[in-house]
């Protein structure tokens, strides 16, 4: 059997020539990443030094987040380039394959084992125990927790054993579409340590970016485009979509393997969200969510996010919204003399109680930035409940720490959401009624996409949950809702709460609950 593989420029000039511990490739859909990774494993298997018996032994773990995708994408791509006739797959637990073939040198033999695993949760790490391999391939690594990735990497370099000469090379290769900019991949590829100023990328890791399939050229004049891009526009390889302009990237890879050439990417734009296009097509870091964003019809980043960092102003009314639990969060706002709500700061945490949250995060921020400001705290009404450990409420703990807080006017979800929407839909003297400081990254992400209604697993038309999903953005979003309720004009607040509670009672009377 003759298999003809023409590597894309990224794989030919970079990936196939380097041997760091970890090679991580980020690219758009249809760029040939998966095929390149399969052929990279094959190349390394052929380059393994033979043992005393002339056998080149390697063992690989091929990982995807779910079993259906493992079988439908990873294994399918694998068999396109290492077919069943030369590398038979046995569907057992785990799924495995063995490639035995004479090496092109005519004197040695290749013996490569492949194990196919589905992993997406930290508890799945148990599947990796006792597995010893040469290398690991993780397909679509954006769906993998960092803990799983690091544990999988720890399995590499253990095969072949030293009596067979040990591995000539060992490590990991990963591929992915561009994830969110608060994803561990982004932090390792482009993040910088705040204390040292050094990149977060380990010295023996190599992050490689493929060209996007499309380029976003919204607002760029014709003379600001390169000659190659202008030709793409002149040839009709562009699309106008919901106020944005996208053009085929002349540097896109794997174009010849698509029947419609650059049209492969252009024809997939319609019906998608802007962030999906930017992530999957343009290869830019962006949030792509499965659910329905709560404020999709209200929030506009360009309109509601300040161009410059906002700072507290002494003398302005200052409110702080608080959410409790083991992931306490806080949102600081000020109301300007003309009535504009300005979101000045956010404070997020994980795995700590309210007392530690106040002493370690909240009070230091107040001392640093809000000295002399009159602060008004509004918290989750559920915080009046007493803890089972010391029978103290969250509000009593806040008082112990010197913070006087009161429960938000209501905990009705509908009223809370309407309070936020009220400000998002208002204009004050031609300006948005609410503006968020650009350094409040978590809140901005929550408003844009992260805070969402979960899509229900039902057939037919897409359906979503009635209430926002509890996720990493919901706690800060709750704190934001409490503070928006407090900031509402009193008559408007009473109207919103009355309407929400009346609707709730009507619904309960109809359902019998």
């Amino acid at each position: 059997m003759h298999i003809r593989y023409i590597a894309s420029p990224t794989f030919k000039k970079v990936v196939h020539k380097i041997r760091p511990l970890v090679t991580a490739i980020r690219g758009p859909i249809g760029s040939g990443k998966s095929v390149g990774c399969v052929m990279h494993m094959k190349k390394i298997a052929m380059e393994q030094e033979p043992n005393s018996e002339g056998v080149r032994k390697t063992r690989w773990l091929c990982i995807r987040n779910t079993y259906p995708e493992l079988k439908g994408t990873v294994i399918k791509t694998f068999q396109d380039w290492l077919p069943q006739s030369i590398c038979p797959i046995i569907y057992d637990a785990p799924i495995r394959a063995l490639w035995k073939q004479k090496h092109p040198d005519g004197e040695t033999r290749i013996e490569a084992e492949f194990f196919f695993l589905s992993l997406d949760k930290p508890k799945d790490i148990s599947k990796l125990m006792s597995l010893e391999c040469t290398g690991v391939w993780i397909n679509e690594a954006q769906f993998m927790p960092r803990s799983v990735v690091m544990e999988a990497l720890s399995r590499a370099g253990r095969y072949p054993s030293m009596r067979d000469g040990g591995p000539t090379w060992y490590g990991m290769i990963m591929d992915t579409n561009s994830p969110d900019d608060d994803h561990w991949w982004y932090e390792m590829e482009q993040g910088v340590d705040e204390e040292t100023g050094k990149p977060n990328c380990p010295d023996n890791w190599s992050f490689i970016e493929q060209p996007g399939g499309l380029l976003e050229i919204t607002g760029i004049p014709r003379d600001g485009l390169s000659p190659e891009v202008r030709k793409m526009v002149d040839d009709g390889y562009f699309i106008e979509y919901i106020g944005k302009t996208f053009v085929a990237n002349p540097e896109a890879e794997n174009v010849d393997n698509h029947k419609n050439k650059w049209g492969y990417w252009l024809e997939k734009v319609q019906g998608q969200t802007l962030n999906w296009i930017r992530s999957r097509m343009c290869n830019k870091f962006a949030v792509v969510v499965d659910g329905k964003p709560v404020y999709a019809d209200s929030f506009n980043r360009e309109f509601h996010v300040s161009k410059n960092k906002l700072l507290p102003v002494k003398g302005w009314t200052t409110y702080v919204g608080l959410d409790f639990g083991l992931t306490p969060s806080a949102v600081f706002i000020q109301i300007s003399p003309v009535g504009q709500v300005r979101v000045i700061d956010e404070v997020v945490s994980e795995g700590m109680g309210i007392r530690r949250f106040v002493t370690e995060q909240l009070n230091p921020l107040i001392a640093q930035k809000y000295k002399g400001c009159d602060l008004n705290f509004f918290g989750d009404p559920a915080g009046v409940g007493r803890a089972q450990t010391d029978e103290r409420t969250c509000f009593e703990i806040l008082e112990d720490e010197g913070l006087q807080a009161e429960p938000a006017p209501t905990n009705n979800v509908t009223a809370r959401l309407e309070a936020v929407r009220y400000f998002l839909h208002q204009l004050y003297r031609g300006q948005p009624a609410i503006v968020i400081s650009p350094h409040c990254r978590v809140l901005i992400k929550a408003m844009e996409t992260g805070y969402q209604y979960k899509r229900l697993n039902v057939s037919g038309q897409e359906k979503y949950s009635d209430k926002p999903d509890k996720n990493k953005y919901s706690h800060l979003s709750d704190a934001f809702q409490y503070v928006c309720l407090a900031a509402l004009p009193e008559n408007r607040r009473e109207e919103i709460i009355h309407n929400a509670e009346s609707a709730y009672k009507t619904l309960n009377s109809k359902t019998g609950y």
Side-chain angles (χ1 to χ4, degrees):
M1 177 176 288
H2 178 70
I3 297 176
R4 186 168 180 262
Y5 166 65
I6 301 177
S8 67
T10 296
F11 277 83
K12 181 179 180 179
K13 297 177 181 179
V14 184
V15 178
H16 293 328
K17 288 190 174 182
I18 62 175
R19 292 292 184 273
L21 178 68
V22 176
T23 302
I25 306 107
R26 177 171 57 85
I29 63 172
S31 63
K33 301 183 298 297
S34 299
V35 172
C37 289
V38 171
M39 299 307 289
H40 192 66
M41 289 190 294
K42 182 179 179 182
K43 179 176 174 61
I44 291 175
M46 295 174 68
E47 293 174 351
Q48 168 67 30
E49 290 294 325
N51 62 14
S52 59
E53 297 176 352
V55 180
R56 301 173 184 264
K57 290 185 175 183
T58 55
R59 182 181 293 151
W60 299 87
L61 302 183
C62 305
I63 299 172
R64 185 67 197 258
N65 60 314
T66 68
Y67 178 78
E69 289 163 329
L70 177 74
K71 188 175 179 181
T73 58
V74 172
I75 293 177
K76 188 177 183 300
T77 300
F78 181 88
Q79 289 190 304
D80 285 342
W81 298 93
L82 282 169
Q84 189 77 3
S85 57
I86 64 171
C87 186
I89 292 182
I90 301 172
Y91 286 89
D92 206 340
I95 303 171
R96 61 188 187 277
L98 180 60
W99 173 33
K100 288 185 176 182
Q101 185 176 319
K102 183 177 290 188
H103 193 273
D105 64 11
E107 298 179 357
T108 60
R109 293 187 61 80
I110 301 165
E111 188 176 294
E113 299 176 77
F114 300 88
F115 290 85
F116 300 89
L117 301 175
S118 59
L119 306 170
D120 69 342
K121 300 180 181 67
K123 68 179 183 180
D124 290 335
I125 287 176
S126 60
K127 296 181 183 179
L128 297 170
M129 296 298 108
S130 301
L131 286 177
E132 299 179 344
C133 66
T134 309
V136 179
W137 169 36
I138 297 182
N139 179 238
E140 291 298 350
Q142 64 176 311
F143 300 118
M144 292 290 173
R146 181 172 177 173
S147 59
V148 171
V149 172
M150 301 308 294
E151 186 64 35
L153 178 59
S154 73
R155 305 290 104 186
R158 302 186 179 191
Y159 186 89
S161 65
M162 289 308 297
R163 65 174 176 269
D164 284 317
T168 304
W169 170 91
Y170 64 88
M172 175 185 289
I173 183 168
M174 301 186 290
D175 69 272
T176 190
N177 300 131
S178 290
D180 187 3
D181 61 7
D182 64 359
H183 194 276
W184 61 262
W185 183 294
Y186 177 90
E187 292 298 327
M188 296 190 74
E189 177 183 340
Q190 300 195 6
V192 175
D193 186 276
E194 294 183 359
E195 294 185 1
T196 65
K198 295 181 179 179
N200 288 334
C201 179
D203 293 338
N204 53 358
W205 288 44
S206 180
F207 284 90
I208 299 165
E209 179 183 357
Q210 286 185 302
L214 300 178
L215 299 172
E216 185 175 354
I217 59 170
T218 307
I220 302 177
R222 180 179 172 81
D223 58 5
L225 303 174
S226 69
E228 295 79 8
V229 173
R230 285 202 299 269
K231 185 176 187 308
M232 284 292 181
V233 175
D234 293 341
D235 290 345
Y237 286 110
F238 73 95
I239 187 171
E240 300 279 353
Y241 181 64
I242 53 177
K244 307 296 181 181
T245 304
F246 298 92
V247 63
N249 187 354
E251 296 182 358
E253 299 182 349
N254 206 37
V255 175
D256 291 337
N257 286 323
H258 299 301
K259 185 175 182 179
N260 294 335
K261 305 293 184 179
W262 287 278
Y264 170 85
W265 292 283
L266 289 166
E267 66 191 9
K268 292 177 172 58
V269 168
Q270 297 285 353
Q272 299 291 355
T273 65
L274 283 176
N275 276 2
W276 189 93
I277 297 166
R278 288 163 177 160
S279 168
R280 305 297 192 256
M281 303 290 190
C282 302
N283 198 28
K284 301 299 181 183
F285 290 102
V287 183
V288 179
V289 297
D290 186 48
K292 179 182 178 181
V294 172
Y295 302 112
D297 59 345
S298 307
F299 179 76
N300 185 315
R301 177 190 280 260
E302 295 179 1
F303 187 64
H304 291 112
V305 177
S306 171
K307 299 296 185 292
N308 302 308
K309 184 176 180 179
L310 302 180
L311 297 173
V313 178
K314 290 183 179 180
W316 286 11
T317 302
T318 307
Y319 292 145
V320 183
L322 296 167
D323 188 55
F324 305 129
L326 290 178
T327 52
S329 299
V331 176
F332 287 70
I333 71 168
Q334 285 194 319
I335 301 177
S336 73
V338 299
Q340 185 186 55
V341 173
R342 297 161 65 86
V343 181
I344 309 296
D345 277 305
E346 65 179 25
V347 186
V348 294
S349 69
E350 185 173 350
M352 63 172 62
I354 184 63
R355 189 182 299 276
R356 183 176 159 207
F357 174 69
V358 171
T359 58
E360 293 186 8
Q361 294 189 249
L362 210 56
N363 277 341
L365 176 64
I366 293 171
Q368 178 186 5
K369 295 180 65 174
Y370 292 88
K371 190 175 182 179
C373 292
D374 184 17
L375 299 176
N376 302 275
F377 295 87
F378 296 88
D380 179 358
V384 299
R386 298 188 181 279
Q388 295 180 358
T389 51
D390 60 3
E391 297 186 350
R392 295 184 64 77
T393 72
C394 291
F395 291 98
E396 289 173 340
I397 294 173
L398 287 170
E399 186 175 358
D400 289 345
E401 299 299 329
L403 305 180
Q404 296 293 329
E406 59 182 277
T410 182
N411 212 357
N412 183 287
V413 175
T414 301
R416 286 158 40 193
L417 296 178
E418 286 306 307
V420 177
R421 292 193 177 102
Y422 171 82
F423 289 110
L424 292 175
H425 293 168
Q426 297 294 316
L427 290 176
Y428 288 162
R429 299 184 180 182
Q431 296 296 315
I434 192 165
V435 63
I436 304 173
S437 181
H439 76 283
C440 297
R441 294 175 54 193
V442 179
L443 182 60
I444 294 170
K445 194 145 307 199
M447 299 293 291
E448 192 170 38
T449 53
Y451 188 51
Q452 57 184 271
Y453 297 107
K454 187 176 182 180
R455 187 169 68 173
L456 302 177
N457 188 22
V458 295
S459 59
Q461 185 177 357
E462 289 185 346
K463 294 183 179 181
Y464 300 90
S465 59
D466 295 329
K467 296 182 179 180
D469 189 27
K470 290 293 183 182
N471 60 20
K472 66 179 182 178
Y473 299 105
S474 61
H475 306 289
L476 189 67
S477 296
D478 289 348
F480 185 50
Q481 292 158 25
Y482 298 135
V483 80
C484 283
L485 272 171
L488 280 171
E490 185 175 353
N491 62 338
R492 184 58 177 155
R493 178 170 60 244
E494 291 177 355
E495 178 185 353
I496 286 176
I497 293 175
H498 173 74
N499 292 340
E501 292 180 347
S502 297
Y504 178 74
K505 291 177 182 178
T506 301
L507 178 62
N508 285 350
S509 66
K510 289 181 178 180
T511 57
Y513 291 100

